[in-house]
Amino acid sequence: MENVLRIGISDMTEMSEINELGINENLNLRYCSDIIYTYTGSILIAVNPYKPINIFNKEYVKKYHGCNFGVLEPHVFALAEAAYKSIVDDQVNQSCVISGESGAGKTETTKLILQYLCSITSNVSSWVQQQILEANTILEAFGNAKTIRNDNSSRFGKFMQVCFDEINCIKGCIIQDYLLEKSRITFQSDGERNYHVMYQLVAHGQTNQQMAEDLHLRAPEYFKYLNTSNTEKIDINFESAKFDALTMAFTVLQLQQYSIDGVFKILSSILWLGNIAFEDIDGEGCDFSPADHEAIVIISKLLGLKCSDLQKVLLVRQINVRGNITEIPLKLQEAIENRHAMAKALYSKTFTWLVTKINICTNPGQDGSNFLGVLDIFGFENFTKNSFEQLCINYTNEKLHKFFNHYVFALEQSIYMEEEILFTHVEFTDNSQCLEIIEKPPRCVFKILTEQCHMPKGSDSAYLNNMHSEFEFHPNYIKGSDRRHWESEFGIKHYAGCVIYTVDGFVEKNRDVQQDVLFDYMSRSEDAFVKDLSQYQDQQFIKSQYCSTYSRGSSKTKLTVSDQFRHQLQSLIDVLQNTNPWYVRCIKPNLEKRPNCYNALLVLDQLKYLGIVDIVRIRREGFPIHLNHEEFIIKYKCLMIRKSFANTHNYISDILEIIKVSSSEWQIGKSKVFLRNVAYQLLEDRRKQIIYRNAVTIQKHWKKFVCFKSYLRIKKAVLIIQHSYRGWKLRIRFLRMRRSAIIIQSRLRGVFAREVAAALRELRRVDEEIKKREKTMLQIPNTDCNALDVCEKLVQEELDALSHFAENIKQSVMDSELTVKNSLELSTQQDSVDLDNIFAFLGEGSEMTCANILIEEINDKMDHLVQDLDQELELCSQDDSTTILKESDRCLLTKGVPSLPEPTTRPPPPPTMIHETKENKVVKPEPIYEAINAEKITNLKNNEIENDTIIELTYLGEKKKKSLTPTLSKHEVDPEKEQRRKNRVEKKIQEININDESQKNIYIEEVYNIIEYAENYFNTHEILIDGTLMATLTRKGKKSNDVMPKFDMITFFKSDKIPTSHIHMYDPENISLACNIFRELWKYMKGDLGAERELQIIQYIIGLGIEREELRDEIFIQCIRQATNNPSADWTDRIWLLMCLIIVAFQPSKQLFRLCEDLEQLSVVSFSWMQEQKQLTFILPTQLVMQYKS
């Protein structure tokens, strides 16, 4: 637009000569250059181009947003921006009054203002803004129609209050409608159409067959209400697209689907009402024609009524006289008028219902503090035949013209006179007399019309006669165009010219007979929407009823249409007077609605009755901005460096001189300062610059303060976080180091314990063999050589038999192990567990043990030490044959099957233990050596010698058969290291012998009770209701007997959940793990899982026990508890099996170790139970069993 050559003057107050011809010529020049907007001070003049112009896109919105009024070229966006900025800066309600003739472009201007407001505030509440725009779509479809002057003429007035919240964003919108033209529903003049929605509905029915069947729609030519005078064909595709936009608008406004369908049913029933044709019966009544029955059935179905009720409403009139209802048949003309009244009532009520629903959806509530009202009212109309609607429309324009003149001329000049400033008086057109003849009581056009409506036999002719007699000599009243029409016409001289009105139908239209009988039947309709619509009442009508001065109960209490409209219009004027108005004067360039056609005479007439010349003159010579002295000083004192309030007049003059503007642009009155736009804009620009600079300074210091406070807060928080993190990190490091130390200690103690155990085992074996040999030698009699040969032969045969039997047993064990391994690979559903891999997760430790050079040295040395003993036993085997046979027979009868080979390694030792008695205290740092009790070994010697004998015989038999020789050590043994090892072993044996007696006394004198242990070391458990912890947690109150006794805590527990660990723990993580272990233990005990899952549970429990020393006693306690009083023998067996594996992996602490007389006794008992199981020998790996036995 900046590149376009400017033609004409953008602001006509700058014209050198002000006259109608100069103004008209200026508008013509700009119109021919597609410049349709021109300023007259703060008033915008818009000429309808009748074609699309590319000046309303987003680029222009961004261009005018934030720009001062008058800086850029005239535009409706500039006026909307000025009104919006006034709301933001001054917090004062604004209004945009859009006036002009029908077809001048008022509706389009209204839509542009709404679109601009929604665009500049679309970053916050876009949904509300979209609802406002779609509400305008609905109102345009139901309230606009094509006329001879305008293709989209508003046939009702609306005042849209766009509400803003505290942050100046659109919060909602309230719409007030005025005087819908209901007569257009039943009749249209030549070249005009019904409301848009009627054609859109019928056109969509032509493209949507399902909808046409549901609503009983036909072609547009079929309905009489759409073809009263217009023969123009409608564009089906265009109207159908408009209908789609309408349904989308309904959806955006969140109307329910049944309501939308109900609205369309009402519209379809109105169209079918127009097709009903009555037949006269002797001039006293009427009846339906044969073609009417189809229409009656369809209307009844659409409205959900009975056909008989609808026929009764159409043919009979009811009169209520003191409670007695009298039915009078309608004559033909009365029936037709009654049909039209029904159609008007249905459409009017539907339109009012839609406006109410829109207001409910877009209501801002309590957040709408300020608003910008946009008034789109019908323009001045003068047709060939003007009726009651034109009188109301022209009365509205007279009222708005009066308000405009009062605001622009009368009020302005009266203020100049009161303030005693210099100005030139401007004459303007005063329409006060025209308004008095229309609305001023007691005798006016509307009052006389209302009197006729209240009379029983009021008529249009009586009303016209009263008008002629009352206003015959009034300067603004005309009896008619000529004497021939005095009995049917009257005229009024309006500010825009003389208009002749045809009085036919005035009384009936003003009376607006309510269809009470119809709505009573609709209240009992089967359709939900029709029933709701019948009970709906316009709130404005109810409010007007309360404002009536007539007594209730009389016929005069019903307000007429003119009374309601007059009250609405007065309330609108009251609202406008409390706002700061902005005016848009729309001008129609030609009557043919053609683009690029400027009719100078037509525009000149509009300029005259709009008073554009007077407006230009008073805007040019007047001062539109008025500010009180105090308000001016408060607002602009920031421009003064030295502030002094001694003389207000001089202080204001100093402020105005700062901006260096001519003194003709401002004047100072008694109490107000008068400014023109030039001076006001300069003052505002300087003030905003200073405010901006000071605001930046304040923001700078405030942001500095906020940032500094935030820095201190963040610094404090960082120090706290660092302190906590460092403490946590050190604690984690300590725990890791402690666990590592414990693992190292356990490994080292295991090495020492295995050395001692291996040495003791070999010593015991040597000692037993020596004793056995001595005993045998004493029992053998001195016989001759023949007896010795026979004995030797018998011994040799027995040895061969035993060797063969041992080989069979060994082969059977290997075959069984292979069978179990294959079965586990094929199926995971068996009950057995692959115990060979049970300690796979301990592989690293095992490798370390096997790889230990010290262990290899010990093993090799032990083999070397017993080499001579084996040779001696082989040489003496013949002498011992008799005794060996007897002992072997006894062992086979007792045990049946020889034991498996000895293990090569020893399980890790338990922690150290301290035994205290009343007399003395004995400290034993290595509890593994306590387990090796000489007396215990002696007591168990008689039981174990049987198994050892079988093992030795098998070993000797195999050596004799296969001629095997013991292998020598792979590494040479250091004599000094071997000597130190022997000394260490002897020292430990001596300590065992010395402390054996005291330990024996401890076990005898003090029997440790597990209940006492539970009292000392167990946590407190609450009784679980219904076996669930959640039930316990959700109890409202706790009682003393809710705590579980300690005795119950060491016996079988039915649930798989415990509230906390059994033993006191200091690590919360270990407590949580203890609860998980108990849950996994329950799953394993039940035996419902597969072999793979059971193996995972066993590895999980043993792995936690090895890794976390604090959990070891907890695992033992849980196993002991579930094995005690267990109702299922299978479950008990599975618990004992897990106990065996746990004892192999780790041992309990010193306190728990005292629960049994001896850990070896517990091990032997457990192993004895295991031997009683039938398949245990085939399930357990050889190495694991021998480790457990050792």
Side-chain angles (χ1 to χ4, degrees):
M1 187 173 179
E2 295 176 354
N3 298 327
V4 178
L5 180 62
R6 295 190 177 185
I7 300 177
I9 301 174
S10 60
D11 189 351
M12 291 189 292
T13 58
E14 300 175 1
M15 296 176 63
S16 58
E17 295 183 2
I18 301 175
N19 54 58
E20 295 175 351
L21 295 178
I23 293 173
N24 195 1
E25 183 64 23
N26 183 63
L27 293 177
N28 190 6
L29 290 174
R30 296 176 65 82
Y31 180 78
C32 294
S33 301
D34 289 338
I35 304 174
I36 62 174
Y37 295 115
T38 307
Y39 286 143
T40 304
S42 61
I43 300 173
L44 179 67
I45 298 177
V47 183
N48 193 345
Y50 289 117
K51 66 179 181 180
I53 301 178
N54 190 22
I55 59 173
F56 306 108
N57 50 33
K58 292 183 179 180
E59 295 180 359
Y60 279 84
V61 172
K62 294 179 181 179
K63 184 177 182 180
Y64 282 91
H65 181 46
C67 186
N68 293 329
F69 185 81
V71 175
L72 299 177
E73 283 292 314
H75 202 286
V76 67
F77 289 168
L79 184 134
E81 175 66 22
Y84 177 73
K85 290 181 66 176
S86 298
I87 292 178
V88 175
D89 297 338
D90 303 331
Q91 296 296 315
V92 178
N93 295 331
Q94 308 290 314
S95 62
C96 294
V97 181
I98 305 172
S99 60
E101 287 190 3
S102 178
K106 299 185 298 300
T107 301
E108 293 299 322
T109 303
T110 301
K111 291 195 292 186
L112 291 172
I113 293 176
L114 292 177
Q115 290 174 3
Y116 179 82
L117 294 176
C118 293
S119 298
I120 62 176
T121 60
S122 60
N123 56 337
V124 179
S125 55
S126 59
W127 181 249
V128 176
Q129 297 156 5
Q130 188 66 28
Q131 286 180 329
I132 294 174
L133 296 177
E134 295 299 338
N136 193 61
T137 301
I138 296 175
L139 295 178
E140 189 173 306
F142 281 84
N144 288 25
K146 179 183 178 181
T147 63
I148 57 176
R149 296 187 177 183
N150 189 2
D151 292 340
N152 189 29
S153 176
S154 296
R155 306 319 299 163
F156 74 107
K158 62 177 179 289
F159 183 60
M160 305 180 68
Q161 297 182 13
V162 182
C163 301
F164 298 87
D165 55 12
E166 291 79 3
I167 59 175
N168 303 313
C169 292
I170 293 179
K171 194 65 179 179
C173 180
I174 300 175
I175 301 174
Q176 178 63 53
D177 63 299
Y178 302 97
L179 192 65
L180 177 68
E181 187 183 9
K182 291 181 282 188
S183 61
R184 184 168 293 272
I185 300 169
T186 60
F187 175 77
Q188 304 92 38
S189 301
D190 293 337
E192 297 186 355
R193 297 200 321 173
N194 208 321
Y195 288 105
H196 294 327
V197 68
M198 295 294 190
Y199 301 95
Q200 295 171 5
L201 177 66
V202 176
H204 192 72
Q206 298 298 307
T207 59
N208 190 336
Q209 189 64 28
Q210 183 63 37
M211 183 177 179
E213 293 178 359
D214 295 340
L215 299 179
H216 303 279
L217 299 175
R218 304 288 176 85
E221 297 80 9
Y222 182 79
F223 298 107
K224 295 181 180 180
Y225 277 166
L226 302 182
N227 299 277
T228 57
S229 60
N230 188 18
T231 58
E232 180 182 357
K233 292 184 178 181
I234 65 172
D235 188 349
I236 299 296
N237 295 329
F238 176 78
E239 299 295 344
S240 181
K242 287 288 185 179
F243 184 84
D244 293 335
L246 177 63
T247 54
M248 178 60 68
F250 281 139
T251 305
V252 172
L253 288 169
Q254 301 176 354
L255 291 181
Q256 298 181 1
Q257 187 61 41
Y258 86 93
S259 299
I260 299 174
D261 296 339
V263 170
F264 295 150
K265 288 180 181 179
I266 295 293
L267 297 179
S268 180
S269 62
I270 291 174
L271 293 176
W272 279 100
L273 275 173
N275 285 17
I276 296 178
F278 299 95
E279 292 182 351
D280 187 21
I281 302 178
D282 299 333
E284 298 295 332
C286 64
D287 197 358
F288 299 108
S289 63
D292 294 340
H293 294 287
E294 180 187 5
I296 292 173
V297 172
I298 292 175
I299 295 172
S300 301
K301 185 181 298 184
L302 291 172
L303 298 180
L305 303 177
K306 297 179 180 179
C307 293
S308 59
D309 295 338
L310 182 61
Q311 293 175 1
K312 191 175 182 180
V313 174
L314 289 170
L315 298 178
V316 178
R317 179 179 60 184
Q318 293 183 354
I319 298 177
N320 189 348
V321 180
R322 297 181 182 180
N324 297 324
I325 298 176
T326 305
E327 295 182 353
I328 302 175
L330 295 174
K331 298 180 181 181
L332 178 60
Q333 188 61 33
E334 292 176 345
I336 294 174
E337 294 296 333
N338 182 53
R339 178 195 64 185
H340 293 337
M342 289 174 59
K344 295 176 184 178
L346 287 173
Y347 193 88
S348 176
K349 202 149 205 172
T350 303
F351 182 82
T352 309
W353 180 87
L354 283 173
V355 174
T356 304
K357 288 297 180 182
I358 292 172
N359 287 333
I360 292 174
C361 183
T362 61
N363 194 333
Q366 300 296 329
D367 298 331
S369 56
N370 297 104
F371 69 86
L372 192 156
V374 181
L375 178 62
D376 178 18
I377 205 73
F378 15 63
F380 188 84
E381 293 183 352
N382 186 3
F383 301 134
T384 304
K385 182 179 180 181
N386 300 291
S387 185
F388 176 75
E389 290 80 7
Q390 280 67 43
L391 176 63
C392 295
I393 290 172
N394 293 336
Y395 163 67
T396 303
N397 284 272
E398 289 283 355
K399 196 79 173 176
L400 292 176
H401 190 71
K402 173 68 176 179
F403 171 75
F404 176 79
N405 290 339
H406 174 75
Y407 177 79
V408 175
F409 299 105
L411 182 62
E412 188 81 8
Q413 296 188 75
S414 64
I415 294 174
Y416 295 165
M417 295 176 64
E418 291 177 0
E419 294 293 326
E420 298 180 357
I421 64 173
L422 300 176
F423 75 100
T424 303
H425 184 73
V426 178
E427 296 292 338
F428 60 92
T429 304
D430 190 3
N431 62 339
S432 299
Q433 291 184 349
C434 182
L435 283 175
E436 289 178 357
I437 193 176
I438 297 175
E439 67 173 0
K440 186 177 180 180
R443 305 297 291 175
C444 61
V445 173
F446 284 154
K447 283 293 182 182
I448 296 174
L449 182 59
T450 302
E451 291 176 358
Q452 288 296 321
C453 293
H454 290 159
M455 292 181 180
K457 295 184 179 181
S459 62
D460 296 331
S461 59
Y463 167 67
L464 185 60
N465 293 331
N466 292 337
M467 291 275 288
H468 288 337
S469 61
E470 184 70 30
F471 305 115
E472 182 178 1
F473 302 104
H474 196 282
N476 289 84
Y477 183 80
I478 303 174
K479 285 187 177 182
S481 57
D482 53 38
R483 289 181 176 272
R484 293 174 299 176
H485 299 93
W486 282 7
E487 296 180 357
S488 61
E489 296 177 349
F490 72 93
I492 297 178
K493 294 181 181 179
H494 294 281
Y495 73 96
C498 180
V499 179
I500 303 298
Y501 299 97
T502 302
V503 77
D504 185 22
F506 262 57
V507 175
E508 194 66 26
K509 292 178 181 179
N510 189 50
R511 186 180 287 128
D512 191 21
V513 178
Q514 298 293 325
Q515 295 291 325
D516 298 333
V517 178
L518 173 63
F519 291 125
D520 180 62
Y521 285 128
M522 288 173 58
S523 64
R524 298 188 292 272
S525 172
E526 297 176 357
D527 188 272
F529 175 78
V530 175
K531 183 183 292 186
D532 295 341
L533 186 66
S534 64
Q535 299 173 358
Y536 171 77
Q537 289 186 347
D538 188 6
Q539 297 298 324
Q540 188 71 24
F541 177 77
I542 297 174
K543 183 177 179 181
S544 301
Q545 291 284 14
Y546 284 106
C547 298
S548 177
T549 58
Y550 297 105
S551 60
R552 298 186 62 182
S554 64
S555 61
K556 296 182 179 181
T557 56
K558 292 184 179 181
L559 292 178
T560 60
V561 175
S562 61
D563 294 334
Q564 296 179 37
F565 182 67
R566 190 160 46 86
H567 292 156
Q568 286 182 330
L569 194 58
Q570 186 58 44
S571 64
L572 172 64
I573 297 300
D574 295 339
V575 172
L576 294 177
Q577 288 178 349
N578 294 323
T579 62
N580 180 29
W582 300 81
Y583 292 96
V584 179
R585 293 299 201 184
C586 297
I587 294 178
K588 188 174 183 178
N590 58 78
L591 296 176
E592 294 79 14
K593 297 179 288 188
R594 291 188 304 168
N596 302 324
C597 180
Y598 189 87
N599 190 337
L601 296 178
L602 178 64
V603 174
L604 184 61
D605 291 338
Q606 297 178 64
L607 293 177
K608 288 180 179 179
Y609 67 72
L610 288 176
I612 297 297
V613 177
D614 298 335
I615 293 172
V616 172
R617 186 177 295 111
I618 196 170
R619 286 298 182 185
R620 178 179 179 179
E621 299 178 1
F623 302 90
I625 293 94
H626 310 160
L627 295 174
N628 295 329
H629 288 176
E630 295 79 7
E631 183 182 357
F632 182 87
I633 293 175
I634 292 173
K635 192 172 184 179
Y636 298 109
K637 65 181 179 181
C638 59
L639 303 180
M640 293 291 294
I641 299 177
R642 297 180 180 178
K643 300 177 175 58
S644 175
F645 302 96
N647 192 326
T648 304
H649 190 278
N650 295 336
Y651 189 69
I652 294 174
S653 300
D654 295 338
I655 294 175
L656 291 171
E657 290 176 357
I658 291 176
I659 60 176
K660 298 179 180 181
V661 68
S662 175
S663 59
S664 61
E665 301 295 330
W666 55 271
Q667 288 196 41
I668 302 175
K670 291 182 178 180
S671 60
K672 293 183 179 182
V673 179
F674 297 89
L675 304 172
R676 288 177 179 160
N677 288 330
V678 176
Y680 179 73
Q681 289 297 335
L682 289 175
L683 286 172
E684 283 295 310
D685 292 342
R686 292 290 298 274
R687 172 177 167 271
K688 289 181 179 179
Q689 291 176 2
I690 295 174
I691 290 176
Y692 176 78
R693 185 169 60 250
N694 294 337
V696 170
T697 304
I698 294 173
Q699 288 178 355
K700 178 179 67 177
H701 289 84
W702 169 251
K703 290 179 180 179
K704 175 185 176 182
F705 171 76
V706 171
C707 291
F708 183 71
K709 294 290 288 185
S710 177
Y711 164 75
L712 295 178
R713 184 172 64 255
I714 294 174
K715 181 180 178 181
K716 183 179 179 181
V718 167
L719 293 176
I720 295 174
I721 294 173
Q722 288 179 349
H723 173 74
S724 302
Y725 174 74
R726 290 170 181 172
W728 173 80
K729 190 174 182 180
L730 291 176
R731 283 192 294 273
I732 295 297
R733 183 182 179 188
F734 166 73
L735 292 175
R736 289 178 178 174
M737 294 177 65
R738 186 177 69 174
R739 292 176 183 174
S740 301
I742 292 173
I743 294 174
I744 293 172
Q745 289 177 358
S746 65
R747 298 293 187 272
L748 187 58
R749 289 171 181 171
V751 171
F752 293 156
R754 282 187 289 274
E755 289 179 4
V756 174
L760 290 177
R761 187 165 55 250
E762 294 300 328
L763 291 176
R764 185 178 65 180
R765 182 178 177 184
V766 171
D767 183 59
E768 290 177 356
E769 292 298 330
I770 293 173
K771 289 181 181 181
K772 193 182 301 181
R773 184 180 60 183
E774 291 176 356
K775 184 178 179 180
T776 304
M777 294 299 295
L778 293 174
Q779 292 179 357
I780 297 176
N782 295 324
T783 58
D784 54 4
C785 296
N786 295 329
L788 291 175
D789 294 338
V790 173
C791 182
E792 182 178 0
K793 184 178 181 180
L794 294 175
V795 170
Q796 185 65 34
E797 292 177 357
E798 189 65 26
L799 287 175
D800 293 340
L802 291 176
S803 299
H804 182 69
F805 182 74
E807 289 179 359
N808 294 336
I809 293 297
K810 183 176 180 181
Q811 185 64 31
S812 176
V813 171
M814 293 177 62
D815 294 341
S816 63
E817 290 179 357
L818 181 60
T819 303
V820 172
K821 183 176 180 181
N822 294 333
S823 64
L824 287 176
E825 291 178 355
L826 294 176
S827 175
T828 59
Q829 303 297 329
Q830 298 180 2
D831 295 333
S832 61
V833 182
D834 187 6
L835 299 178
D836 289 331
N837 299 324
I838 196 71
F839 294 99
F841 61 96
L842 298 177
E844 182 180 357
S846 301
E847 293 176 3
M848 292 177 61
T849 304
C850 295
N852 197 317
I853 300 175
L854 181 58
I855 302 303
E856 293 180 358
E857 292 178 358
I858 293 174
N859 294 334
D860 297 339
K861 193 63 178 177
M862 290 298 105
D863 294 337
H864 181 72
L865 290 175
V866 301
Q867 181 178 4
D868 297 335
L869 178 61
D870 295 336
Q871 293 176 359
E872 292 178 4
L873 291 174
E874 185 176 2
L875 293 175
C876 299
S877 61
Q878 294 179 357
D879 298 335
D880 300 341
S881 60
T882 304
T883 305
I884 291 173
L885 286 173
K886 293 180 181 179
E887 292 293 328
S888 62
D889 292 338
R890 184 171 59 82
C891 292
L892 288 173
L893 292 174
T894 303
K895 296 295 182 178
V897 180
S899 302
L900 297 174
E902 293 279 353
T904 59
T905 59
R906 178 75 174 171
T912 59
M913 180 179 70
I914 300 176
H915 295 288
E916 296 183 1
T917 60
K918 296 181 180 179
E919 292 82 5
N920 55 0
K921 298 182 179 179
V922 180
V923 179
K924 296 188 176 184
E926 296 292 341
I928 185 64
Y929 303 119
E930 295 179 9
I932 308 173
N933 193 306
E935 184 175 354
K936 301 295 181 181
I937 295 174
T938 305
N939 294 335
L940 297 173
K941 190 177 295 184
N942 294 331
N943 297 328
E944 295 179 355
I945 194 170
E946 299 174 355
N947 297 333
D948 294 338
T949 302
I950 296 174
I951 295 172
E952 291 165 6
L953 291 175
T954 305
Y955 173 72
L956 291 175
E958 291 179 355
K959 285 191 63 175
K960 196 168 188 66
K961 184 175 182 180
K962 299 181 180 180
S963 300
L964 297 175
T965 58
T967 59
L968 298 176
S969 176
K970 297 180 181 179
H971 306 281
E972 295 183 359
V973 181
D974 189 2
E976 296 181 0
K977 185 181 297 184
E978 180 66 22
Q979 187 64 32
R980 288 196 302 271
R981 186 187 65 78
K982 291 182 179 180
N983 294 337
R984 188 163 58 250
V985 171
E986 292 175 358
K987 183 178 180 180
K988 290 298 179 181
I989 293 174
Q990 291 176 2
E991 291 178 359
I992 291 172
N993 295 330
I994 293 172
N995 297 330
D996 178 67
E997 187 65 27
S998 61
Q999 181 176 352
K1000 180 178 180 181
N1001 295 334
I1002 291 174
Y1003 284 112
I1004 294 174
E1005 294 177 0
E1006 180 178 350
V1007 177
Y1008 199 77
N1009 193 353
I1010 191 171
I1011 298 181
E1012 181 181 354
Y1013 179 84
E1015 294 289 345
N1016 294 332
Y1017 298 102
F1018 273 22
N1019 289 320
T1020 300
H1021 283 197
E1022 294 183 357
I1023 298 177
L1024 302 180
I1025 298 176
D1026 297 333
T1028 59
L1029 179 60
M1030 185 57 66
T1032 303
L1033 297 176
T1034 54
R1035 287 181 298 169
K1036 295 184 178 178
K1038 292 184 178 180
K1039 300 180 181 179
S1040 59
N1041 58 358
D1042 291 340
V1043 179
M1044 181 180 292
K1046 292 297 187 292
F1047 177 77
D1048 293 340
M1049 293 177 63
I1050 61 174
T1051 58
F1052 175 75
F1053 191 48
K1054 297 180 180 179
S1055 176
D1056 62 342
K1057 297 179 182 177
I1058 55 175
T1060 182
S1061 61
H1062 292 77
I1063 302 175
H1064 301 305
M1065 295 184 183
Y1066 299 98
D1067 193 348
E1069 184 179 358
N1070 289 341
I1071 296 174
S1072 176
L1073 291 174
C1075 298
N1076 293 338
I1077 289 172
F1078 191 82
R1079 187 160 50 249
E1080 297 296 329
L1081 179 62
W1082 179 267
K1083 296 179 182 177
Y1084 166 77
M1085 179 183 67
K1086 292 175 65 178
D1088 296 337
L1089 305 176
E1092 183 178 355
R1093 177 57 179 155
E1094 290 183 357
L1095 180 61
Q1096 292 177 359
I1097 292 176
I1098 294 173
Q1099 290 179 350
Y1100 171 73
I1101 296 175
I1102 295 177
L1104 289 178
I1106 292 175
E1107 182 182 359
R1108 299 175 182 265
E1109 184 180 0
E1110 195 176 22
L1111 288 174
R1112 295 177 180 177
D1113 288 357
E1114 176 68 22
I1115 295 173
F1116 277 105
I1117 290 297
Q1118 290 183 10
C1119 293
I1120 293 171
R1121 178 179 183 179
Q1122 294 302 95
T1124 305
N1125 296 338
N1126 196 311
S1128 174
D1130 294 338
W1131 293 4
T1132 307
D1133 294 346
R1134 299 178 72 84
I1135 292 296
W1136 275 105
L1137 175 60
L1138 181 61
M1139 286 270 293
C1140 296
L1141 300 177
I1142 292 174
I1143 292 173
V1144 172
F1146 53 83
Q1147 295 185 359
S1149 65
K1150 297 178 292 184
Q1151 291 82 0
L1152 186 61
F1153 190 80
R1154 297 167 58 189
L1155 291 176
C1156 302
E1157 290 185 358
D1158 190 30
L1159 182 59
E1160 280 192 9
Q1161 181 178 355
L1162 177 62
S1163 303
V1164 171
V1165 173
S1166 302
F1167 183 70
S1168 299
W1169 169 83
M1170 291 169 60
Q1171 285 184 335
E1172 293 176 2
Q1173 310 302 314
K1174 295 180 179 180
Q1175 297 180 354
L1176 182 61
T1177 305
F1178 301 97
I1179 296 176
L1180 296 178
T1182 304
Q1183 183 180 2
L1184 182 61
V1185 174
M1186 296 311 298
Q1187 282 183 351
Y1188 175 77
K1189 180 182 176 185
S1190 63

